Amino acid sequence: AISDHLGSGPRAVGTALSKNPFCPLPIPCHRVLTSDCYIGGFSGDTKSKIFWKKAKLEKEGLEFDDKGFVAPSLQQPRFFNSFK
């Protein structure tokens, strides 16, 4: 949603969020997914570091299929109004 609003790409948004000095607020960079709901990777890495991103997202309540896509029932855009 952020990249769509800015007319940018998800990877650019993830990079910007990873450099956010106020991280993890408001949006931690691990919450950036690709536009087709694929988990994506950290810094373009879709092999070695993706396990950690997936584990964080699953702890936050997301579910993934065997190929790394968000479960269809959870693919609706969600916006967070408050952060813990």
Side-chain angles (χ1 to χ4, degrees):
I2 293 171
S3 65
D4 288 346
H5 179 76
L6 296 175
S8 180
R11 187 169 292 164
V13 172
T15 299
L17 292 172
S18 73
K19 297 181 185 314
N20 179 358
F22 304 104
C23 202
L25 296 175
I27 303 170
C29 61
H30 73 273
R31 289 190 180 155
V32 176
L33 302 172
T34 63
S35 61
D36 61 356
C37 294
Y38 179 66
I39 189 170
F42 287 117
S43 301
D45 180 351
T46 59
K47 303 283 185 212
S48 62
K49 298 178 189 175
I50 203 167
F51 170 81
W52 300 109
K53 180 176 182 174
K54 185 177 182 213
K56 285 181 179 185
L57 290 169
E58 288 175 333
K59 187 174 181 180
E60 294 175 357
L62 280 183
E63 297 173 12
F64 296 89
D65 65 16
D66 294 338
K67 295 182 181 180
F69 290 89
V70 175
S73 62
L74 300 174
Q75 287 187 10
Q76 298 299 322
R78 295 183 287 168
F79 295 92
F80 300 94
N81 295 321
S82 63
F83 299 92
K84 295 179 182 180

